[in-house]
Amino acid sequence: MSKSLLIAAASGLALLALPAIAQEPTPTAPAQAETPGQRPTLVVMIVIDQFSANLMNQYRSRFTGGLKRLIDGGVVYPNGYQAQGLTETCPGHATLFTAAFPTHAGIPANDWYDTATGERTYCLAAPDNALADGDLSDNGRVGPERLKLDALGDWLKAASPDSRVYAVSGKDRGAITLNSHTGDGAYWYVPEFGFTTFARPGEDMAARMAPIAELNSQISEGFRVAPATWDYASEACRALEGRWTINDREFVSTVPPANFAIDSSPLLDELTLQAAEHLIDGQQLGQRGVTDVLGVSLSATDRIGHGYGSQGPEMCEQMHRLDLALGEFLERLDQLPGPVLIALTADHGGADFPERTALRGHPEARRGDRELLNRTNAALREHFDLDADPLISDGMLYVVDGERRALPDPLKSQVAAATVELIRAEPTVAGAWTRAEVLAEPLPAADADPEELTLIQRFRLSADAERGGDIMMALHPWITPGQGRVGGSVAGHGTPWDHDRRVPILFWWSGAAPQERYSPIRTVDIAPTLANAIGVAVPEGRDGRCLALSDLAPSCPN
């Protein structure tokens, strides 16, 4: 891992500050030599959580490390899309290896309400599983069971049982979705524990943790020897400091932030990349004569984007340090004996907090109407003579009784229709539809331009007949859902607009002829492209299409 972050010491690992980005030399050419068309022995899927195309383009000229090397030396699609309407982490990750939109993969959002039981359900909830960290994980017991489709790792394992599939992330939903159903291990970072995992009933937890246990001991000792810090690595970022008022509270944008925590800082990605290297070495990934898959989901950009916004010194520091850390990770990949194929993208984009956005060319930027739901509920209670509010919200709207269970039909359908009529008249709302209206919309054609999809078409790609909300709605562009809280989340994502949907997609392998491909593609196209490169068939009925990768995979199946 990063030589500047963690260095060997007699008693363990000590944390050190990273140098300024300007001190890094320009990356040299990789040592590997590949034969055109040779199948990769390792596929690495890198997902940078909340890495919008806008953010990549903003910092592109300033990258000098790993991101520069991947962008300048690979096949780059700057206009990639998470084409669906609900742009959140869990559904976004699920599109990558299933080659399917949320409407088919079964993950419409990070959370949804089960209106049969009245319970809020996490996208990866698996109550029968156990966790290595016990009760420390934020989302309870988890696993891939709610993912309705198999994924790239499953296709590979079925075709090549000796292949290994691992994934690591700062979040459970980043690791588990990339590990697929039959992968060998999914690991994510939990403060005060290290990297954790899940075990199904009957599985040996010690065996599940064995690939990562030694690293956890090293990390724990490293933090004991030298507590974590976050200092400026690039003096250029200091110029972005400022003071803002968010909901009557002062927000000071600086490094280190007042509420500094490891899992909301560049350290999170640096630790995740260290774990990825540990898995490569310990599990001999890409070194055994078969193709292996490693998913690496980097969560710090999202945590920093939520906590501090995307246009301050905090995100500037994150971009610089991520670039450096990825550069050192690529140097480790250079040492592998066989060809390595890397794909990089994001699960969604994100917008800066509206108070700053409003002063940077978008005066319409503001926070959503906090009384909209209360006002709508009051009107519905009066019109239908209800005893309790009929609407609850979690990104989507649900029509429920006082115990959060679905109202019986035809009342439920009548309330849903009345809700749509009411909120369509609201000045902050760009569109609203009942679930029935969304599901009745034909799915866009496979060759439909993701830039040209209508709002209802975008939500059609998110709609799940069993797990979706009763009403789906979109606020106008640059209106941020949620009110924002200093010390919590001041900025967000999840909207159907391009700042949340448009993400970079790139493919890199040693010896690639660099190309910039401006045609818009979708994240569901990544898995079929990787499958073609490694010679694995994609199941029928998936939404994604294979992309030809020049000399590596010059053609795709018809």
Side-chain angles (χ1 to χ4, degrees), residues 136-160:
L136 294 176
S137 288
D138 291 339
N139 300 312
R141 298 181 177 187
V142 290
E145 285 77 6
R146 293 184 187 273
L147 195 62
K148 291 182 178 180
L149 298 176
D150 53 15
L152 179 68
D154 304 313
W155 314 336
L156 175 62
K157 297 280 282 187
S160 174

Side-chain angles (χ1 to χ4, degrees), residues 5 8 127 166 200 236 244 270 276 279 322 368 377 400 410 412 440 446 472 528:
L5 171 66
Y166 283 93
R200 297 182 177 93
W244 306 87
E270 293 159 349
L279 289 171
L322 174 60
N377 266 323
V400 296
K412 176 182 173 181
M472 306 180 87

Side-chain angles (χ1 to χ4, degrees), residues 220-233:
S220 178
E221 180 63 12
F223 284 128
R224 186 192 67 79
V225 172
T229 59
W230 181 4
D231 300 315
Y232 276 109

Side-chain angles (χ1 to χ4, degrees), residues 416-417 420 424 432-442 456 460 470-472:
V420 166
R424 280 178 178 171
W433 306 267
T434 66
R435 177 164 56 183
E437 288 175 322
V438 174
L439 290 172
E441 178 73 15
I456 193 171
R460 178 64 183 89
D470 297 310
I471 296 116
M472 306 180 87

Side-chain angles (χ1 to χ4, degrees), residues 207-271:
R208 296 281 291 178
M209 280 295 294
I212 210 76
E214 180 183 356
L215 176 64
N216 276 349
S217 297
Q218 293 173 343
I219 292 172
S220 178
E221 180 63 12
F223 284 128
R224 186 192 67 79
V225 172
T229 59
W230 181 4
D231 300 315
Y232 276 109
S234 173
E235 284 300 310
C237 296
R238 195 184 297 271
L240 298 176
E241 291 183 342
R243 293 176 179 269
W244 306 87
T245 299
I246 297 177
N247 284 330
D248 299 324
R249 288 191 59 187
E250 184 181 56
F251 169 61
V252 180
S253 185
T254 187
V255 169
N259 56 333
F260 162 64
I262 292 170
D263 61 339
S264 296
S265 79
L267 285 163
L268 181 62
D269 286 350
E270 293 159 349
L271 289 169

Side-chain angles (χ1 to χ4, degrees), residues 384-405:
F384 290 98
D385 193 23
L386 300 171
D387 295 328
D389 287 344
L391 299 179
I392 55 176
S393 173
D394 192 354
M396 300 174 282
L397 294 172
Y398 300 80
V399 180
V400 296
D401 62 17
E403 296 182 348
R404 295 185 171 179
R405 291 183 170 88

Side-chain angles (χ1 to χ4, degrees), residues 97-379:
F97 273 2
T98 63
F101 292 115
T103 188
H104 296 134
I107 307 293
N110 287 346
D111 303 273
W112 57 81
Y113 278 100
D114 183 341
T115 54
T117 65
E119 295 179 354
R120 191 184 188 198
T121 301
Y122 180 56
C123 61
L124 298 178
D128 293 335
N129 292 346
L131 297 180
D133 60 273
D135 297 326
L136 294 176
S137 288
D138 291 339
N139 300 312
R141 298 181 177 187
V142 290
E145 285 77 6
R146 293 184 187 273
L147 195 62
K148 291 182 178 180
L149 298 176
D150 53 15
L152 179 68
D154 304 313
W155 314 336
L156 175 62
K157 297 280 282 187
S160 174
D162 291 335
S163 293
R164 294 175 180 172
V165 177
Y166 283 93
V168 64
S169 177
K171 299 179 181 179
D172 56 15
R173 51 191 179 267
I176 292 172
T177 51
L178 297 182
N179 189 52
S180 308
H181 290 277
T182 57
D184 297 283
Y187 304 97
W188 62 95
Y189 185 77
V190 174
E192 309 302 325
F193 181 84
F195 287 92
T196 188
T197 193
F198 68 91
R200 297 182 177 93
E203 290 184 329
D204 182 348
M205 181 63 79
R208 296 281 291 178
M209 280 295 294
I212 210 76
E214 180 183 356
L215 176 64
N216 276 349
S217 297
Q218 293 173 343
I219 292 172
S220 178
E221 180 63 12
F223 284 128
R224 186 192 67 79
V225 172
T229 59
W230 181 4
D231 300 315
Y232 276 109
S234 173
E235 284 300 310
C237 296
R238 195 184 297 271
L240 298 176
E241 291 183 342
R243 293 176 179 269
W244 306 87
T245 299
I246 297 177
N247 284 330
D248 299 324
R249 288 191 59 187
E250 184 181 56
F251 169 61
V252 180
S253 185
T254 187
V255 169
N259 56 333
F260 162 64
I262 292 170
D263 61 339
S264 296
S265 79
L267 285 163
L268 181 62
D269 286 350
E270 293 159 349
L271 289 169
T272 302
L273 287 167
Q274 183 188 8
E277 289 190 19
H278 186 84
L279 289 171
I280 290 171
D281 295 339
Q283 304 307 307
Q284 295 293 289
L285 302 182
Q287 302 166 65
R288 297 170 298 101
V290 296
T291 297
D292 299 319
V293 171
L294 175 63
V296 183
S297 178
L298 302 170
S299 306
T301 302
D302 183 70
R303 296 273 176 81
I304 291 167
H306 280 295
Y308 315 114
S310 63
Q311 297 300 306
E314 305 91 346
M315 186 61 77
C316 177
E317 277 288 306
Q318 163 63 6
M319 289 294 99
H320 286 312
R321 286 178 59 164
L322 174 60
D323 182 43
L324 289 179
L326 278 171
E328 294 191 4
F329 179 62
L330 295 184
E331 289 177 3
R332 174 65 190 93
L333 296 180
D334 289 342
Q335 300 169 19
L336 297 179
V340 176
L341 172 59
I342 298 173
L344 184 147
T345 191
D347 54 345
H348 54 74
D352 193 27
F353 57 78
E355 292 81 2
R356 188 159 49 194
T357 301
L359 299 178
R360 296 190 173 188
H362 290 283
E364 70 275 23
R366 61 193 185 278
R367 298 192 181 274
D369 181 354
R370 69 178 67 198
E371 292 301 319
L372 188 152
L373 183 62
N374 291 337
R375 191 164 57 247
T376 306
N377 266 323

